[in-house]
């Protein structure tokens, strides 16, 4: 038992030391990756406008003006809110707008019963909650160094509670994508091993136990599987699977951005890692 605890503590120390060199770049990279699917989607709508318009009008029975309004609003909101999120400007507005995009596309493209899309979107939503929690934590730190402003802002203790709950909900939603990995495909020894490791990693992230390095493990798994399974660049440009794999690739990048936010900011106050500090 002591040997296992010692190994985990040493591994944690090595991970923290190795992350020192990349940590200054993690926040910007995490926010960019989180918004990757929205940026790619806005470009896809613009470059494939006729296909998008035909699908909405003929398959989804949108009116002409309803289709134009839907597409234009989606592009504008995704570009503006993604830019705000990446550069940490009006994060609450950015997250609200991107949540609206997820909901509107679920309705507009009829994806509510598409299991793969729903799991990825739930994970992306978890990443957005992590981004909002990170923004609230940063504002809390600024308040501590500006006590004269406290009279004109929200109670800092209340802000911290909101941030803790958002971290918890964000962590819980972030791992939804791995549910698909656990149950999809034919069962084999290798798949059972991957499913077991994924399950343990997901539980550790949700409860916040060694959350940073368990997030690194899941992040590495996502990175490798995304390149191997969603290699859309290897398909012919007329292959119908190309667009689907490209969409999945960028959605997975966004989920990876959520895990990077977890690595950078930690699991928050409602976690085992934080509770251990009290003992």
């Amino acid at each position: 038992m002591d040997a296992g605890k010692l190994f985990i503590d040493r591994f944690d120390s090595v991970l923290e030391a190795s992350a020192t060199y990349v940590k200054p770049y993690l926040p910007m990279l995490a926010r960019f990756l989180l918004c990757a699917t929205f940026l790619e989607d806005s470009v896809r709508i613009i470059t494939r406008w006729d296909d998008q318009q035909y699908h909405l009008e003929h398959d989804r029975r949108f009116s002409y003006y309803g289709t134009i309004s839907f597409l234009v609003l989606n592009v504008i909101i995704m570009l503006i809110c993604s830019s705000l999120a990446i550069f940490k400007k009006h994060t609450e507005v950015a997250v609200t707008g991107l949540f609206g995009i997820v909901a509107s596309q679920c309705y507009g493209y009829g994806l509510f019963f598409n299991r793969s899309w729903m799991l990825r979107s739930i994970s992306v939503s978890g990443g957005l909650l992590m981004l909002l929690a990170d923004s609230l934590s940063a504002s809390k730190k600024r308040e501590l160094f500006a006590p004269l402003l406290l009279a004109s802002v929200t109670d800092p203790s209340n802000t911290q509670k909101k941030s803790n709950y958002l971290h918890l909900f964000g962590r819980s939603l972030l791992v939804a994508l791995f549910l698909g990995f656990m149950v999809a495909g034919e069962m084999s020894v290798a798949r059972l091993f991957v499913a077991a490791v994924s399950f343990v990693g997901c539980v550790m992230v949700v409860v916040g136990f060694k959350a940073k390095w368990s997030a690194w493990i899941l992040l590495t798994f996502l990175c490798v599987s995304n390149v191997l399974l969603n290699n859309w660049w290897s398909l012919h440009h007329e292959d119908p699977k190309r667009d689907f794999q490209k969409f999945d690739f960028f959605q997975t990048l966004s989920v990876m951005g959520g895990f990077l936010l977890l690595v950078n900011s930690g699991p928050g106050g409602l976690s085992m890692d934080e509770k251990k500090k009290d003992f």
Side-chain angles (χ1 to χ4, degrees):
M1 188 72 176
D2 292 337
K5 184 177 182 300
L6 182 61
F7 171 77
I8 291 176
D9 289 340
R10 285 182 177 176
F11 183 81
D12 207 13
S13 300
V14 171
L15 190 64
E16 287 289 339
S18 60
T20 303
Y21 302 101
V22 297
K23 193 164 186 177
Y25 310 102
L26 281 184
M28 176 67 80
L29 177 60
R31 295 193 300 271
F32 177 76
L33 288 179
L34 181 60
C35 296
T37 188
F38 301 105
L39 294 172
E40 187 276 334
D41 203 22
S42 61
V43 172
R44 179 164 51 87
I45 290 176
I46 294 171
T47 57
R48 304 285 296 273
W49 185 273
D50 291 340
D51 294 337
Q52 297 284 325
Q53 186 175 350
Y54 180 88
H55 173 66
L56 290 174
E57 290 182 7
H58 293 81
D59 298 332
R60 299 296 298 158
R61 303 299 180 185
F62 277 39
S63 67
Y64 172 79
Y65 292 107
T67 297
I68 298 301
S69 300
F70 178 83
L71 294 177
V72 170
L73 283 174
N74 267 259
V75 170
I76 292 174
I77 293 173
M78 283 190 289
L79 289 176
I80 292 177
C81 291
S82 294
S83 299
L84 291 175
I86 291 171
F87 294 105
K88 296 185 72 173
K89 304 294 184 182
H90 307 289
T91 303
E92 295 84 356
V93 175
V95 169
T96 301
L98 295 177
F99 265 125
I101 290 296
V102 173
S104 68
Q105 292 195 351
C106 179
Y107 166 75
Y109 294 107
L111 297 169
F112 188 78
F113 296 104
N114 186 314
R115 185 184 68 180
S116 175
W117 186 90
M118 284 300 298
L119 290 175
R120 292 175 189 277
S121 295
I122 290 172
S123 289
V124 171
S125 298
L128 292 175
L129 288 179
M130 294 291 296
L131 179 62
L132 186 56
D134 188 51
S135 174
L136 288 177
S137 296
S139 66
K140 172 65 167 56
K141 290 176 183 177
R142 287 194 298 268
E143 288 168 5
L144 292 177
F145 290 100
L148 295 178
L149 298 177
L150 290 180
S152 60
V153 296
T154 320
D155 178 13
S157 62
N158 188 43
T159 300
Q160 187 60 49
K161 288 180 182 178
K162 289 180 181 178
S163 176
N164 290 338
Y165 280 111
L166 286 172
H167 270 112
L168 174 61
F169 294 145
R171 297 196 317 265
S172 302
L173 296 181
L174 195 58
V175 300
L177 176 59
F178 285 90
L179 295 176
F181 288 128
M182 292 179 201
V183 300
E186 297 181 2
M187 279 298 165
S188 63
V189 175
R191 177 163 287 279
L192 285 174
F193 174 76
V194 171
V197 173
S198 299
F199 177 76
V200 172
C202 289
V203 171
M204 292 175 68
V205 166
V206 171
V207 301
F209 176 68
K210 298 296 180 183
K212 287 189 176 183
W213 66 264
S214 57
W216 269 120
I217 293 174
L218 295 179
L219 181 63
T220 303
F221 174 78
L222 276 181
C223 184
V224 173
S225 63
N226 200 28
V227 172
L228 294 179
L229 300 178
N230 298 320
N231 53 342
W232 55 271
W233 54 86
S234 65
L235 300 176
H236 192 271
H237 68 277
E238 293 184 356
D239 192 322
K241 294 181 180 179
R242 180 184 172 92
D243 281 345
F244 292 105
Q245 287 200 3
K246 188 176 183 180
F247 183 76
D248 289 348
F249 178 84
F250 280 96
Q251 272 207 320
T252 304
L253 282 185
S254 291
V255 178
M256 290 167 59
F259 277 105
L260 276 180
L261 283 174
L262 175 58
V263 168
N264 180 68
S265 62
L270 298 176
S271 64
M272 291 184 66
D273 287 346
E274 193 66 25
K275 296 302 180 184
K276 285 192 303 180
K277 297 177 182 178
D278 297 333
F279 297 97

